[in-house]
Amino acid sequence: MSTEQNKDIVRRAIAALGRGDFAGFVADAADDFTFALMGGNWLEPIQGKQRVREALEGLLTSLLANNGAIVMTIDRLIAEGDYVVEQARGQSRTKDGRDYNNTYCRVWRIVDGKVKSVNEYMDIELARSIVQGGGQ
């Protein structure tokens, strides 16, 4: 796969996240896909395409309005070999009406057209405040 094709995979996944389409987010993932939230040991890495989908969908739909959608604006995609680095800004609202606007940097590893892993970096304290606030 070319770096442009790998960038397209990332664009599709991020667009799906913005619609609250968690099946679409993992559509191009390998069955052994791993999602890791980096920094702070807040969430253990999630392994397995279906488990990633279920975990993200469960968490985000319980906290955020609009079926857990986070509308993303990709600011930058940098690709080399099997890796794509994505910088993005997300906008959402909690179920209790608070803004949830975070910034993200994700490192995607894509092999033969399948996402093998995503390491996500974000403002962990902002996310933690939403979870602790319950979002309800």
Side-chain angles (χ1 to χ4, degrees):
M1 303 283 296
S2 72
T3 56
E4 280 308 310
Q5 289 170 312
N6 287 346
K7 286 180 179 181
D8 284 341
I9 289 170
V10 172
R11 286 183 189 104
R12 284 194 302 271
I14 294 304
L17 189 60
R19 296 187 304 272
D21 175 7
F22 299 96
F25 180 74
V26 298
D28 290 310
D31 289 339
D32 62 347
F33 171 53
T34 300
F35 180 90
L37 183 59
M38 308 305 288
N41 297 325
W42 184 48
L43 183 67
E44 292 295 319
I46 306 164
Q47 303 212 341
K49 178 179 180 173
Q50 190 61 29
R51 289 189 66 218
V52 170
R53 176 191 172 188
E54 291 167 357
L56 292 178
E57 185 171 10
L59 177 65
L60 296 179
T61 59
S62 72
L63 297 171
L64 302 177
N66 298 321
N67 296 318
I70 301 175
V71 177
M72 293 285 175
T73 301
I74 296 175
D75 294 319
R76 189 167 291 106
L77 289 176
I78 303 166
E80 181 177 323
D82 292 343
Y83 290 91
V84 177
V85 176
E86 164 228 347
Q87 288 182 297
R89 292 171 280 127
Q91 290 186 304
S92 191
R93 189 168 282 275
T94 63
K95 288 185 174 182
D96 65 359
R98 292 178 289 151
D99 287 334
Y100 178 64
N101 303 327
N102 212 328
T103 56
Y104 304 86
C105 182
R106 297 180 187 96
V107 180
W108 301 71
R109 182 170 173 251
I110 303 169
V111 178
D112 297 327
K114 292 291 184 185
V115 179
K116 297 292 280 182
S117 64
V118 173
N119 290 343
E120 179 175 284
Y121 301 82
M122 67 167 166
D123 182 342
I124 296 288
E125 291 307 312
L126 176 60
R128 191 183 319 255
S129 75
I130 297 301
V131 170
Q132 290 174 344
Q136 305 288 333

